[in-house]
Amino acid sequence: MKGILLFAALALAGPAPAQDRSPNEPSPSEIVTAAPDGDWAEIAPDDLLVMELAQGRDTGKREVVIQLIPPPFSQGWVDNIRTLAMAHWWDGTSVYRVQDNYVAQWGLGEDKQPPEWLKEVPEADYAPFWPGARKTSDSVRRLRERWWKSDPYAAEVDFVDGFPVAEGNRQQWPVHCYGMVGVARGTGDTGSGADLYAVIGQAPRQLDRNIALVGRVIEGMEYLSSLPRGHGELGFYTKDEARKQMPILSVRLASELPEKSRPRFEYLSTDSESFAHYANARANRHDDFYKVPAGGVDICNVPVPIRRVEPAK
Amino acid sequence: MKGILLFAALALAGPAPAQDRSPNEPSPSEIVTAAPDGDWAEIAPDDLLVMELAQGRDTGKREVVIQLIPPPFSQGWVDNIRTLAMAHWWDGTSVYRVQDNYVAQWGLGEDKQPPEWLKEVPEADYAPFWPGARKTSDSVRRLRERWWKSDPYAAEVDFVDGFPVAEGNRQQWPVHCYGMVGVARGTGDTGSGADLYAVIGQAPRQLDRNIALVGRVIEGMEYLSSLPRGHGELGFYTKDEARKQMPILSVRLASELPEKSRPRFEYLSTDSESFAHYANARANRHDDFYKVPAGGVDICNVPVPIRRVEPAK
């Protein structure tokens, strides 16, 4: 019985077994596995934020790793975040809001005020000017044309330096996909970066250009997405639920950690042919399980492949 | 300090406070609250599946309510599901797979075989023939034109009898949004309905037309979405994690329950002007918080409003 169960379930999520498919149609994960090392790019230790949550009885260590977004996006807020991490400012704060199909939010406790010396960043930085130049090769561009159909929110969407972005009106901006990390803010301000959220549901793209995105979770996402939901307004934990707040033990830049214990990650270069093939396979899967290829794919349904690599020796 | 914290967080998710916005631009939730009773449609008790999970130390009763999809969609599988519920077939089974940003899946235990007398449903029923007729009024249609821009997966998308659907090639099919419930299957079969999954992440629209959708979770979604993720292949719990499987105490059709304890729900009719206004507000929010209206919206980012109503007296 167990064999059938597993088989049925494997089939739901994955490609059909390799021997049943045409060798001409590798699955997305097969394409990623076959990508040459040259198509992978290392993430700089200054761009990695390591957040350690309280240990669970069941889970052992719970580490969430965030990749900060590269220029030209959100660098004022990213600078603030690096400063806060180096000041160990988040140690002892908590995840205090979890709203189903929306966000998990952390940072500022009731009795902690963000430092006054953080940068104020203008709204204009949500969506910087973009001259319209592309650095992708012709072959990659041709492949892309096979999988981008359209986007419900923007004139164009693309990937830039490993991040999903949208374009229009000579602007380019990062988009709110699952796992993306943004800066919580009030009305009339742009937020400092002291309070952050991660998207744990359907991409809330209405927030694009209205709030700063500063990175994405690349490991340990489940420690945020499976937290108990809060039942106060908008997913805040109520007073009675206060003990559900997940304590944050520490947040560090990987570059602060001793070289031997630094986690190291690579992402599949979004300018590579491997990535274009991978995205194309996500848009046009066709095998014994996927009998009707979608013929298109949402920008948020092409998660950028990430892999952990061995620490330096 | 607490005031500022709450304010910042409220603003992230919600509209700006009512007094700050133009009275001409009500928020999506304000539109839903103002919808006249005539715009709400009751869900028949035969279309409600009540799944009771094991109690948590913290949560008390954990009830997940599923609305089964109406004709012309997936009725062979829906019949099987009603039959299985009336046979109390799921009592004592479990949620045995939780894959982050994908699905939670339940049903068939290792030692339970689905009854042989279930219907086999043909693949053609994933996407039934659709003659192209619409029953929406002109005024609703005009409103709709303001918010549907495009869809990455289908020629057209719409709502039919309370469910999100896509259209093309004279076919119409339900789509995989957050919370939608589908029929797990193997390669080379269409599944019986004995094993079901709910979407707990970004809409996996590549499954559309490749697998049957039979309904959606309308209450208690968090009891599935916040379950610990499995670490076996594709999110199955490993042997070591077996104790994390969430026991299912019972699954019943609401129509089987004594009338006084039946839960009752209504959905906002997707043919109503209220719904069209609500979707338009989701696509074009513009207030003190949302300074850049999205100008469009994904079909899966317009959750159909549901409300619980008092049991019959």
Side-chain angles (χ1 to χ4, degrees):
Chain A
M1 225 20 250
K2 197 174 182 183
I4 293 174
L5 168 65
L6 276 170
F7 184 63
L10 281 166
L12 163 61
Q19 67 273 20
D20 292 345
R21 269 180 299 107
S22 150
N24 300 321
E25 300 192 48
S27 73
S29 60
E30 285 165 349
I31 293 166
V32 172
T33 305
D37 280 347
D39 282 355
W40 293 86
E42 180 155 2
I43 302 170
D46 252 353
D47 289 341
L48 289 175
L49 211 56
V50 182
M51 173 159 75
E52 204 184 323
L53 304 177
Q55 285 207 11
R57 254 184 328 160
D58 292 344
T59 55
K61 202 171 171 181
R62 280 192 269 217
E63 205 171 83
V64 177
V65 182
I66 293 163
Q67 177 187 7
L68 297 171
I69 203 166
F73 304 112
S74 306
Q75 293 300 295
W77 295 280
V78 167
D79 284 349
N80 283 345
I81 288 166
R82 285 201 189 96
T83 306
L84 289 162
M86 285 190 288
H88 300 183
W89 187 86
W90 280 293
D91 299 13
T93 62
S94 70
V95 186
Y96 53 74
R97 172 192 183 191
V98 185
Q99 186 175 1
D100 197 56
N101 193 18
Y102 199 48
V103 297
Q105 188 173 322
W106 65 90
L108 193 63
E110 281 188 24
D111 35 40
K112 211 165 182 183
Q113 202 141 3
E116 279 167 18
W117 32 262
L118 291 174
K119 284 186 200 172
E120 271 188 50
V121 194
E123 278 179 355
D125 285 11
Y126 293 149
F129 170 74
W130 177 63
R134 277 187 201 289
K135 58 181 180 180
T136 44
S137 67
D138 282 351
S139 64
V140 168
R141 202 171 312 139
R142 271 193 300 275
L143 266 167
R144 288 189 184 196
E145 278 158 20
R146 296 180 49 199
W147 41 277
W148 288 140
K149 224 172 175 172
S150 54
D151 181 77
Y153 293 92
E156 300 231 22
V157 283
D158 204 341
F159 287 91
V160 170
D161 293 336
F163 277 84
V165 302
E167 301 161 1
N169 300 324
R170 292 176 78 77
Q171 289 172 299
Q172 199 178 49
W173 57 92
V175 297
H176 276 82
C177 298
Y178 190 89
M180 290 287 282
V181 174
V183 173
R185 67 167 175 87
T187 301
D189 69 88
T190 62
S192 67
D195 288 83
L196 299 171
Y197 61 88
V199 173
I200 61 164
Q202 177 69 23
R205 298 274 308 275
Q206 70 278 11
L207 295 171
D208 296 354
R209 291 181 288 177
N210 284 298
I211 201 161
L213 283 169
V214 289
R216 92 179 127 220
V217 176
I218 59 170
E219 195 175 84
M221 183 61 197
E222 66 183 290
Y223 301 128
L224 296 172
S225 60
S226 69
L227 289 174
R229 279 37 177 166
H231 296 99
E233 206 172 355
L234 301 173
F236 282 82
Y237 294 119
T238 62
K239 254 187 187 164
D240 287 349
E241 296 173 323
R243 79 207 131 74
K244 293 190 185 171
Q245 292 196 1
M246 170 60 67
I248 296 172
L249 303 183
S250 66
V251 177
R252 297 287 178 275
L253 283 172
S255 52
E256 289 182 271
L257 301 173
E259 205 162 333
K260 279 188 182 169
S261 59
R262 273 182 207 169
R264 290 177 62 203
F265 293 89
E266 294 178 339
Y267 68 94
L268 187 61
S269 166
T270 47
D271 296 321
S272 69
E273 291 214 16
S274 298
F275 183 83
H277 279 292
Y278 157 78
N280 181 47
R282 296 219 31 124
N284 297 297
R285 281 181 92 155
H286 192 198
D287 53 39
D288 279 354
F289 188 82
Y290 289 95
K291 297 199 181 168
V292 183
V297 66
D298 192 281
I299 180 90
C300 287
N301 225 334
V302 187
V304 174
I306 299 282
R307 67 181 187 186
R308 209 184 231 269
V309 291
E310 289 298 305
K313 277 175 192 158
Chain B
M1 222 22 248
K2 196 174 182 185
I4 291 172
L5 166 66
L6 276 170
F7 185 62
L10 281 166
L12 163 60
Q19 66 272 21
D20 292 346
R21 268 183 298 109
S22 152
N24 298 321
E25 299 192 48
S27 74
S29 60
E30 285 165 351
I31 292 167
V32 172
T33 306
D37 280 347
D39 283 355
W40 293 86
E42 179 154 3
I43 302 170
D46 251 355
D47 289 341
L48 288 175
L49 210 57
V50 182
M51 174 159 75
E52 205 185 322
L53 304 176
Q55 286 208 10
R57 255 184 326 159
D58 290 345
T59 55
K61 202 171 169 180
R62 280 192 269 216
E63 206 171 80
V64 177
V65 183
I66 293 163
Q67 177 188 8
L68 296 171
I69 202 166
F73 304 113
S74 307
Q75 293 300 296
W77 295 281
V78 168
D79 284 348
N80 283 345
I81 287 166
R82 285 201 188 96
T83 306
L84 289 162
M86 286 190 288
H88 299 184
W89 187 85
W90 280 292
D91 299 11
T93 62
S94 69
V95 186
Y96 53 76
R97 173 193 184 190
V98 185
Q99 187 175 0
D100 196 57
N101 193 18
Y102 199 48
V103 297
Q105 188 173 322
W106 65 91
L108 194 61
E110 283 186 23
D111 35 40
K112 212 166 180 181
Q113 203 141 2
E116 279 167 17
W117 31 262
L118 292 175
K119 283 185 199 171
E120 271 189 49
V121 195
E123 279 180 355
D125 286 11
Y126 293 148
F129 171 75
W130 178 62
R134 276 186 202 288
K135 59 181 183 183
T136 45
S137 67
D138 282 352
S139 64
V140 168
R141 202 172 310 140
R142 272 194 300 276
L143 266 167
R144 288 189 183 196
E145 279 158 18
R146 293 180 52 200
W147 41 276
W148 288 141
K149 223 169 175 173
S150 55
D151 181 78
Y153 293 92
E156 299 232 23
V157 284
D158 204 342
F159 287 90
V160 171
D161 294 336
F163 277 84
V165 301
E167 301 162 0
N169 300 324
R170 292 177 77 77
Q171 289 173 299
Q172 200 178 46
W173 58 91
V175 297
H176 276 81
C177 297
Y178 190 89
M180 289 288 281
V181 174
V183 173
R185 68 167 176 87
T187 301
D189 69 270
T190 62
S192 66
D195 288 84
L196 299 172
Y197 61 88
V199 173
I200 61 164
Q202 177 69 24
R205 297 276 307 275
Q206 70 277 13
L207 295 171
D208 295 354
R209 291 181 287 175
N210 284 299
I211 203 160
L213 283 169
V214 289
R216 90 178 129 219
V217 177
I218 58 170
E219 195 175 83
M221 183 62 197
E222 65 182 290
Y223 301 128
L224 296 172
S225 60
S226 70
L227 288 174
R229 278 40 177 164
H231 296 99
E233 207 172 354
L234 300 172
F236 283 82
Y237 293 119
T238 63
K239 254 186 186 164
D240 287 349
E241 296 174 323
R243 80 207 131 74
K244 293 189 185 172
Q245 291 196 359
M246 169 61 66
I248 296 173
L249 304 184
S250 67
V251 177
R252 297 288 179 274
L253 284 172
S255 50
E256 289 183 89
L257 300 173
E259 205 161 334
K260 279 188 181 169
S261 58
R262 273 183 208 169
R264 291 178 62 203
F265 293 90
E266 294 178 339
Y267 68 94
L268 186 62
S269 167
T270 46
D271 296 320
S272 69
E273 293 214 13
S274 298
F275 183 82
H277 279 292
Y278 157 77
N280 182 47
R282 296 219 30 124
N284 298 296
R285 281 181 92 155
H286 193 197
D287 53 39
D288 278 356
F289 189 81
Y290 288 95
K291 296 199 180 169
V292 183
V297 67
D298 191 282
I299 180 88
C300 288
N301 225 334
V302 187
V304 175
I306 300 281
R307 67 182 187 185
R308 210 182 230 269
V309 291
E310 289 299 306
K313 275 174 195 163

